[in-house]
Amino acid sequence: MGVQGAPPDCLVCEAERLANAGEVILSAPSWELCEQRRLRTQRLAGQRAVKVMGMVQMSRSECQEILRKLVQQPVSHGLEKEGAMRPAFFRSHPNVEEVPREYVPETALRKFDDRAPLDLFSELQPVTSLLVQLRVAADMDTEALHTILNNATRMMLEVLRPHEGKINKILLFDKGCMFLCVFGLSGEKLLYESIHALQSAIQIFNSCSTLLGEKEAVSVAVTGGTVFCGVIGHPGRHEYTVIGQKVNLAARMMVQYPGLVCCDAVTYAASQLPPYCFKELPAREMKGISSPDTIYQYVGIAKRSMFGMGLAKERSEYVPLLGREKELDLFASCLKAYKDLGRRHVLAFEGTMGSGKSHLLTELAYLGQAAGHRVVAVELLELDMRQSFSALCALMARALGLQECESCSARQRELQTKLRGTIEESGYCLLNDVFLVKFPVSDKVRKMRETQRKRELRSAWAKVLEKAIGRDFGIFVIDNAHFIDPASWSIMSPVLQNVSFFMVTSLAPGYARTESFCKAAAANTTSQKITYLHLDELKPSAVVQKVCQDLGVVSIPRDLARFLLQRSSGIPYYCEELLRCLRCNDTLLFRTRRPGEKAEDDWESLVAAAVEISALAATSSSSAGNDGGVCIIIRPDVNLENTVLPAALKEIALAQLDQIKPLKQTVLKFAAVIGLVFTTQLLSHILPTDIRHKMNFLLDMLVSDNILKWLKSTEVPEDVQDATEGPASSPQAGRGVKRSSWSKKTVERQSGVLVFCVPLLREAAYELWLERQRVALHRKCAAFLERHAHKCKSCSQGDFVDFHRFAVTDTQDGRSCQGPADQDDSRSWEALVLAGEQMKRDRTHATEDVADALQQQQAFREEDFGTAEWFLAKSDQTTELPSETEGKDNGTCSCKCKAIVESVLVPLARHYVAMGDAARAFYYLVECAAAYLRVSNSYMALVKLNEAEVLRNSVEKKANAIARFDEATFFSLKGEVCCHMGRTKLAKKMIGVALCLLRRHFPRTSVRAFAKSQVEKLPSASYDARRASSLPQDAGRKRLAWLLRQSSCLALLERLLSLEGTSSGRTLSRLAACMKANTDKAADSCRAADSCHSQT
């Protein structure tokens, strides 16, 4: 084994050649850095390196002392502390603090400069890994190897730089050298990352093949996926790198497919390049990789591809383009003016990625052809922007019909026919490289200098373009016109000003070409010739119609509609990707409605009926004619809120997130753990101490950047209480009000509620956390929220399930929530109420607006669901239903319980699910259901009980995973919901199960009922009083919780049995009333004893 110090390449090779099996050779720099008195060495003749013969072992105390001194050594910069053992730090340098920066990746440097905590450096990041292997001859001398590696490194850096790729690691071993390059590290994210990586790979492959003289000596592998990006290794030898399965796969591919540029299926799909850019490779067994996906060879974008790049989107003949009526009408009016008056016009549609530009242009091209016009349509790629004249070549090739010509001679004949009289025959040879033809080089062209030849080529281009888009041309359709390269635009721009034409383009914001179109549309001289229109997001009703149309169903569940509306933000591509992800994971189940089909009387059918009643139906022509009545439901064991973001959408969101400075990114990542809506108090509670004091300032910046928005601010920091300027972190921020800079006075915490402007950004930020970090943050959030997990002050501040926390001692710590709250808790409560109100609006308003827009006969409202009037109207139910449970809020009082259940109880259940604590998650799901029933929202109670059912089924094999009292409460609440929905038989069954779990069995036969009635008549009041007074306070409250739950079940059972109208029903109803009366007496005794305990 050879050990080196620095420089790395030549010295390690020299030490390695001197080492035999089982020997350790130290290069001269390594020997100088060692503690030489502890090593026994032997000098090698004629060499500076030394051979290690042995070493004196240090005692354990000596090791610990050295490590202690290393960690506690005072340094002036964090980089030296983290890399104190690096040889470079021992160099003599006039500016020693700058030396470490040469050895640290830019991604890590940015976080160091912002003083981000080291444990926040690491994250799970989707990146593209590119591995290059160079095989060199075994007998190559050190100097030649040094030269090759230096040249290869320099070349790779030049290739990677414009694509934001980085060389992360260079490894030298006996078979050559390996370079690990990474695209998409934090701070260096680009859209179309896979294309950037593939294009870099082919350039590196060609350059290295030339450098080494043979292609077989170079192997390149590209993979994409989520990996660990961060700091690894001993604290004294930290290294910022990437590790994970996708990096390992790239290493295996590089070995198994030598002499090629290969990529995995993920990169192939993400690039969205034409299939002819790839070749499928035969499957090969790879060590450590079980069942690898298809591997492809990337052959590059050949020039012949210019002749076949039409619009990529296909138009459906059976469904209309939804939500773009305004754009279609504008196209029709402009086309009519062009046809009747010959006015040239450019119709430019600008929209973000995924807004439906390509679908719209495909529809417009079809309408133009249907109107009898000649249409030439082309789609440009991001790579076209980097190749001179590529856009012009693609346009002209299709305008001249060259895409149909297979051979070179056929293209030559076509060009001679089309361009006769346009350019001189002696100039045809100028088009050889452009259109892949072989016209003989004329003497005139041969004698031209390079500058003159370029001038003649540009002149020929202009003449060809003018010929192609003459008056009889028709319609020019360019998708992704922002990718027109500068050379092409320099020719197109003057020609288009002098020719009558009609052009339709799509543009994306943030590109120079988009800016030029926008300015031209605003200028007085050209505004009449250019119409610039921004594509808005689809309206919620159009999104629902599109989903039904794409799935071929008549309706979709309300939860699915809400999920898609929130995450897609009305962008069609986002909606399509989310649907594709759900279908790939078998989340959606299709079922056919059969008229007159009788449902089973069980909980599953009840949930299905509720979903069907609340579903949103489409009114589009595609679904109107669907006689089969196909609808869709969500798989019962799936919670849409826990669905992982699709890779394509995650790449888009992370590219946006990457534009934010590291410290602001850190705040967003912490806020993402809380949820879409969060309070500043909770955010402050989970932020690290060294970031907490900057929180208000950072939030103010994020609001001004339109990443977050304030719902309300209830307190203003002292340094900005200026009436003339307004609060720095107020809702006025970002509206032209001057923003103050951060100072120490802003340490004072501010009460307020914020919401993410782009939900997709929150999802992407959340998924960056490592699992252990995520769990720790969820635990902090839960600890904060549990202080507020109770009813509001006007409702006595107790648990929604009476004395719940005392009944489940193994789940809760028994803290009382009924004590007086301090001032900070009071402000937190107010903020949580505001957040809860916003969450409820977000959940209900979007789908209610959709129902109104689709003009459904009876819009669904959660508050109406489960009432007797609702089910009498929705079903054939004729029996009078029992009234709701006593003590519920009818919605007319001013209590805040509706808001608290949204902002406290629901998030608590989510936090504990994320932590893997099933018992506590079940506890809070039951609390949620009880709270929703209290505020007369049976629909959401059913939803939460169904979530609890799924959780219970997932852990039922584990003994005592869920407390018995929680299970009993779960069944009793299911009985209430069944009662509200008119399923009296199922309700009685559920109540019976609950009473059994509560150890209060109710007889079902007349004989047992008679015996039970006799037992219940026996006097027991004095016994109950003595027993209650003898119990400790906590035990007494636990017994009280059981008694109150028994009483609630018996009360409901009494009313259900009285509705049967039979003698046995009346007998059992009287028995239930008797049992309830005795239970209430025992509960009164417990209350009295608890009151005595409290007074003492």
Side-chain angles (χ1 to χ4, degrees), residues 537-555:
E537 296 80 8
L538 293 180
K539 295 179 179 178
S541 56
V543 172
V544 172
Q545 287 180 309
K546 174 178 173 56
V547 174
C548 292
Q549 177 179 284
D550 293 347
L551 295 176
V553 298
V554 297
S555 65

Side-chain angles (χ1 to χ4, degrees), residues 18 50 72 142 271 294 413 415 544 608 636 679 693 744 829 893-894 1050:
L18 295 173
V50 297
Q72 294 180 354
T142 302
S271 69
T294 306
R413 288 192 298 271
L415 284 172
V544 172
T679 67
H693 68 284
K744 291 184 179 180
W829 176 269
C893 73
S894 59
L1050 290 169

Side-chain angles (χ1 to χ4, degrees), residues 1002-1049:
F1002 188 83
R1004 302 303 302 168
T1005 63
S1006 57
V1007 175
R1008 291 184 177 179
F1010 175 77
K1012 184 68 173 176
S1013 64
Q1014 299 305 311
V1015 173
E1016 291 295 327
K1017 291 177 182 179
L1018 296 175
S1020 60
S1022 58
Y1023 169 74
D1024 290 335
R1026 288 194 304 271
R1027 182 182 178 188
S1029 61
S1030 64
L1031 292 174
Q1033 186 175 27
D1034 285 351
R1037 288 179 175 179
K1038 179 176 181 179
R1039 174 166 169 74
L1040 180 57
W1042 283 68
L1043 292 171
L1044 291 175
R1045 184 49 42 188
Q1046 292 173 5
S1047 177
S1048 176
C1049 292

Side-chain angles (χ1 to χ4, degrees), residues 981-1015:
M981 295 183 68
R983 302 291 183 91
T984 56
K985 185 177 179 180
L986 185 59
K988 287 186 286 187
K989 179 181 177 182
M990 295 296 173
I991 294 298
V993 175
L995 286 171
C996 289
L997 289 169
L998 291 168
R999 301 184 180 92
R1000 195 81 161 98
H1001 297 274
F1002 188 83
R1004 302 303 302 168
T1005 63
S1006 57
V1007 175
R1008 291 184 177 179
F1010 175 77
K1012 184 68 173 176
S1013 64
Q1014 299 305 311
V1015 173

Side-chain angles (χ1 to χ4, degrees), residues 36 95 202 265 327 467 517-518 582 679 770 913 1020 1043 1067 1082:
Q36 298 179 5
N95 193 3
I202 200 75
E327 289 79 5
K467 170 71 175 178
F517 273 96
C518 184
L582 293 176
T679 67
L770 302 178
V913 167
S1020 60
L1043 292 171
T1067 301

Side-chain angles (χ1 to χ4, degrees), residues 867-939:
T867 61
E869 294 79 5
W870 173 272
F871 273 95
L872 287 172
K874 287 289 181 180
S875 64
D876 298 330
Q877 179 78 30
T878 57
T879 306
E880 182 184 358
L881 299 177
S883 61
E884 296 182 358
T885 309
E886 297 177 1
K888 289 184 184 176
D889 168 35
N890 59 7
T892 60
C893 73
S894 59
C895 87
K896 306 299 183 182
C897 293
K898 287 184 180 180
I900 289 303
V901 66
E902 302 287 350
S903 61
V904 178
L905 298 183
V906 173
L908 272 170
R910 177 175 60 84
H911 289 311
Y912 278 118
V913 167
M915 291 160 56
D917 192 336
R920 290 203 176 193
F922 191 87
Y923 173 96
Y924 281 109
L925 285 172
V926 169
E927 277 283 301
C928 288
Y932 279 123
L933 283 172
R934 179 179 178 79
V935 298
S936 304
N937 192 337
S938 298
Y939 176 78

Side-chain angles (χ1 to χ4, degrees), residues 744-759:
K744 291 184 179 180
K745 291 184 179 181
T746 58
V747 173
E748 294 295 328
R749 284 188 296 174
Q750 180 183 13
S751 300
V753 180
L754 295 104
V755 61
F756 279 84
C757 295
V758 183

